Each structure stands twice: as structure tokens, then as C-alpha cells.
Amino acid sequence: KATKTDEGFLVDSPIVARIGIQEYRDAAGNTRRELRLPEEVFHPDSLASMRGKPITVDHPNCGKVTSKDAYRVTVGMILAEGKQDGDNVRTDITIHSPDSIGDRRELSLGYTAILDEEPGEWNGQKYDAIQRTIRVNHLSVVKKGRAGVARLNMDSNEEVFINQQEQQTMSMVKVKLDSGLEYDAAPEVVAELNKLRADASVLSKTRRHSET
């Protein structure tokens, strides 16, 4: 399950990729069916290429993220190498700016690959090419991912929890103590403090009146 750190960062260990045939569109708008073989997807160099790569909101217009534009598009980071999980790849990620992803929950890797343009058939399904030498460049949080199984591990209850936490933080107000120090406090705490102060003031006036 996705969790939030004290700083508000979103931490998760989701599926980010899978083996099999996936559909892509070329520059002419034609659909291509490209095969991602287990030996390519789970190759140690491919899995290792995930570590330290940036996380973006949607795939950036620049295509491949580099040091020249990473500061503009990065909202998080892939923390570890990928690990095989059945037919899938799973890894550890942190999203530093959860607010920036909106209602996006699915994940899509941006990577380079060498295409073997030899068509064939795999598990009874035809493909147009095989992806070789897969190297990850970035991971994007999107509304609809190609893999179908890659998504953040968040359900509706966790989303509500996050919203409630954000609302609580936004509603904090300043309270000033008699010593002159100021602190952030929830509205209900300030209301209770003001009530206690009012009761103390009334009690003090009552005592003075009884003494006279």
C-alpha cells in the first residue's frame, strides 16, 4: 500500500512494467504490436537502469529526460533497481509532489530499446517486432498506462485520508501564548484555549468582587 511520510512524500512499491505484446503507434499513426520478452524485460542491465531515474506527470514533451530539463519535469524518483514479480517488474518509488499527479494513478515507463523488426508469433499472438536492450529513462504517472497492471497502490480510502490530512494542515491557525510565543494549532485547540482564558478571566473578576 502507498503511504505518506511525515514530509508528505508518497512512498510505494508498485508494478511498473510487464512482459508480453503491447501496442504502440508510430509517427504515421499506425498500430504496431511489439513483443517484450522475459529475457529482455528481466535482463539485469534493464532492471538496473531504473534506479535513480526521475518520475514525471505524464510523459514530458522533451521525450527523453536529461539533466537539462529534469528540474522542470521531475516530481519524484525511482529508488531501486527493478525486481521480477511473476510476469511483472516491481520497484520502490517516492513521489515528492503528490498534489501534482491529480487523479492520475496508472504508471508508464519511458525507455529506449533496439527494435528487432522480425515479425512472428508468441503464445499464439502475432507481433511486428521485438524490443531488445531495454533501458529505462523515466517513469510517468498517467491516467491510462499501456501495461494495464502498472498503477499506484492506492484505494479510495487512502485518497480520502490524504485529502483529510491536507485539509487539516491547511486549516492550522496561529495561537499566541501569554509568554509571547506563537504556535500553529488546529482551530478546535484555539477555541478550547480561548474558552479556558475566558473562564479564567470570569473567575478572576469574581474573586476580586468577593474580596471587596
Side-chain angles (χ1 to χ4, degrees):
K1 294 293 184 178
T3 59
K4 257 194 173 183
T5 67
D6 293 339
E7 300 87 353
F9 302 156
L10 189 66
V11 178
D12 200 358
S13 299
I15 290 171
V16 295
R18 66 173 176 84
I19 64 171
I21 298 172
Q22 297 184 23
E23 293 187 350
Y24 301 80
R25 286 190 178 276
D26 60 21
N30 300 316
T31 300
R32 290 170 50 86
R33 294 170 58 82
E34 297 179 6
L35 174 60
R36 293 164 50 84
L37 288 167
E39 56 264 35
E40 298 293 342
V41 174
F42 302 138
H43 191 284
D45 292 341
S46 178
L47 296 177
S49 70
M50 294 185 181
R51 180 191 292 273
K53 296 304 169 62
I55 297 176
T56 67
V57 178
D58 298 325
H59 289 288
N61 295 329
C62 57
K64 186 177 181 179
V65 180
T66 68
S67 60
K68 294 181 179 179
D69 45 41
Y71 74 97
R72 293 190 299 104
V73 299
T74 300
V75 299
M77 180 182 293
I78 302 176
L79 302 177
E81 298 180 1
K83 295 181 180 179
Q84 182 178 353
D85 184 358
D87 291 338
N88 306 310
V89 176
R90 190 182 295 274
T91 190
D92 301 328
I93 68 171
T94 291
I95 297 178
H96 299 127
S97 306
D99 290 344
S100 65
I101 69 176
D103 61 353
R104 298 169 181 82
R105 293 293 178 267
E106 297 200 11
L107 301 169
S108 176
L109 283 175
Y111 57 91
T112 60
I114 297 174
L115 290 181
D116 180 352
E117 298 284 359
E118 184 70 28
E121 188 172 299
W122 185 77
N123 288 350
Q125 300 182 57
K126 293 183 178 180
Y127 60 83
D128 301 305
I130 300 175
Q131 295 182 3
R132 307 282 191 188
T133 318
I134 298 168
R135 298 294 182 268
V136 173
N137 174 258
H138 64 272
L139 175 67
S140 295
V141 186
V142 298
K143 290 190 175 180
K144 184 64 177 177
R146 182 175 285 109
V149 294
R151 60 182 294 111
L152 294 172
N153 296 318
M154 295 170 61
D155 59 28
S156 58
N157 290 333
E158 288 170 315
E159 292 170 30
V160 170
F161 169 76
I162 291 172
N163 290 337
Q164 288 173 342
Q165 290 291 91
E166 292 168 352
Q167 182 178 359
Q168 182 180 4
T169 301
M170 291 170 58
S171 63
M172 299 289 274
V173 296
K174 290 288 186 181
V175 56
K176 189 170 185 177
L177 303 181
D178 294 339
S179 62
L181 296 177
E182 288 188 351
Y183 293 91
D184 288 327
E188 56 269 25
V189 174
V190 177
E192 183 64 21
L193 179 59
N194 289 336
K195 180 178 180 299
L196 292 174
R197 283 173 170 171
D199 292 343
S201 178
V202 171
L203 180 59
S204 177
K205 290 179 181 180
T206 302
R207 286 178 176 174
R208 288 200 300 270
H209 179 71
S210 63
E211 290 173 356
T212 57

